[in-house]
Amino acid sequence: MRAGVLSDDKVIKFLNDKFINVWVSNVELERTPRKKAYMAERRKDLPNAFDRSHPFAKPIMEGWTEHSPVDCLVISPEFDVMGKLQLNNFFDDCYKSGISDEVGYLTFLNASLDVKFPGFNENTSTDPLLTGANIVLDSEHHEENVLHILRAPRHGEQDYNVITIDTTAFENGGTLTIEIQMGSAISGGSFDLFDNDTELPTKGTPTETVASVWDIPSGQKGTIHYQFDKGIIFKLGATGTWFSGKGNINAFHAKISVEENY
C-alpha cells in the first residue's frame, strides 16, 4: 500500500480531507489464537496495550475478513462499518477490471462515503458496489452464509436491501430456514420473505409476505421458517426497524438453508 496507492498525491489529499486515518495491529486485537497467546504474555509487561473492549475495537473486529492479513475499513463516527476492503484481493481485482489501483481505491472510499457499503457482498458477488445479494441452493449445496447490511427508514416506510434466494432445484419442495444474527450497531432489523413476483412495498406494513420476523434488536437473533411445496425464487427484504432512527445502519449475518422434501 505505501509503495502503491498511498504514494499517490490525490489519494493522500482525499484521505486527509475526508477521513481521520488510523491503523491498529492485528496482533494488538488478538486476531488469531497464536496472537491471543502472545498478547496474554505481552500484557504482563505492557498493561496499556490496546483495549479490545473499546468501542472503536468492535467495528474493526466485525469488519475484518478471515485469513486477510490487512483490511481497510471505513468507520462512521457512530462506529458503524461503512465499507471494507480486503487488500489480499484488491490488486488482483483492479487488474482484472482494467483500472489502476489508485482509481480502485478512490472508488472504494467514495462508495463508502456515499453509503453504498462496498465489500459487504464479497461472498456472493465480485461487484464491490452491489446493494443486493444472490444465492442459489440445491441438493449438493443446501446452505449459504451471507453478511450484509440494512438501514433504518423513516417511520412507516420500508428501505429494503434484497437477498435473492433461488430454490428452484428443490422440485419436491422443502423447508427454508433463515437464521439471522444482528450486529452490535444502532439499528434493529426486520426481515420479510416474498416470492419473486411480488413488488416490494416502500411504505406501510408489508401485507404480501410469505413469512417475516420483525424488530430483532441490535445484537440479538431471529429466525424465519417457511415450508414450500415446489422450489421457487424468493426475495428476502432486510430493513432497519421503524424505531431505530432514520439512517442508522447495522450489519447482519444470515445463515440460509433448505431441508429438502423426499
Side-chain angles (χ1 to χ4, degrees):
M1 286 290 286
R2 286 181 293 178
V5 295
L6 296 184
S7 64
D8 184 274
D9 291 340
K10 290 185 297 184
V11 174
I12 292 298
K13 185 178 187 308
F14 190 80
L15 285 168
N16 288 336
D17 289 347
K18 301 290 185 179
F19 301 90
I20 298 174
N21 303 290
V22 298
W23 70 274
V24 179
S25 166
N26 280 331
V27 175
E28 293 281 353
L29 287 179
E30 305 175 21
R31 186 163 178 173
T32 66
R34 182 178 298 180
K35 292 180 174 64
K36 290 179 182 179
Y38 171 78
M39 286 304 298
E41 291 298 318
R42 184 176 175 182
R43 281 196 170 89
K44 295 177 181 179
D45 301 320
L46 297 173
N48 295 323
F50 192 86
D51 182 5
R52 294 176 78 248
S53 66
H54 190 280
F56 183 57
K58 294 186 68 176
I60 295 175
M61 292 186 287
E62 289 176 357
W64 66 32
T65 304
E66 188 177 6
H67 306 308
S68 174
V70 180
D71 292 290
C72 179
L73 304 175
V74 176
I75 299 173
S76 75
E78 293 79 24
F79 299 115
D80 293 320
V81 180
M82 307 294 290
K84 55 182 183 175
L85 183 68
Q86 182 189 158
L87 294 183
N88 239 12
N89 300 327
F90 168 68
F91 300 106
D92 286 341
D93 291 342
C94 288
Y95 177 78
K96 293 175 183 177
S97 301
I99 60 175
S100 68
D101 298 339
E102 292 78 11
V103 170
Y105 193 59
L106 286 172
T107 299
F108 160 73
L109 295 175
N110 275 303
S112 300
L113 293 178
D114 290 343
V115 201
K116 293 180 177 177
F117 303 99
F120 276 85
N121 296 284
E122 69 277 358
N123 57 326
T124 55
S125 173
T126 57
D127 181 357
L129 303 184
L130 188 67
T131 57
N134 303 282
I135 67 169
V136 179
L137 301 177
D138 55 37
S139 299
E140 300 297 322
H141 183 76
H142 59 85
E143 180 181 304
E144 183 70 80
N145 291 279
V146 176
L147 177 64
H148 212 331
I149 56 91
L150 51 75
R151 178 170 43 229
R154 197 188 312 273
H155 186 275
E157 297 182 356
Q158 306 294 346
D159 185 11
Y160 289 118
N161 271 353
V162 179
I163 299 172
T164 300
I165 307 170
D166 187 340
T167 67
T168 53
F170 299 100
E171 296 183 355
N172 296 322
T175 301
L176 175 65
T177 299
I178 305 171
E179 301 175 54
I180 300 159
Q181 170 67 62
M182 292 299 302
S184 60
I186 294 174
S187 181
S190 291
F191 299 82
D192 295 308
L193 187 67
F194 303 87
D195 67 48
N196 196 45
D197 295 328
T198 302
E199 184 176 348
L200 273 60
T202 59
K203 293 184 179 181
T205 301
T207 58
E208 298 186 16
T209 63
V210 298
S212 299
V213 58
W214 293 344
D215 300 329
I216 306 175
S218 172
Q220 300 299 308
K221 298 179 180 180
T223 304
I224 290 175
H225 292 291
Y226 181 68
Q227 294 182 345
F228 57 95
D229 296 328
K230 184 177 182 179
I232 63 171
I233 296 176
F234 295 97
K235 293 186 290 192
L236 177 67
T239 183
T241 61
W242 287 352
F243 306 99
S244 294
K246 184 180 185 307
N248 284 322
I249 64 171
N250 204 348
F252 67 91
H253 176 271
K255 178 182 175 183
I256 304 171
S257 62
V258 170
E259 183 178 346
E260 185 175 7
N261 290 339
Y262 293 99

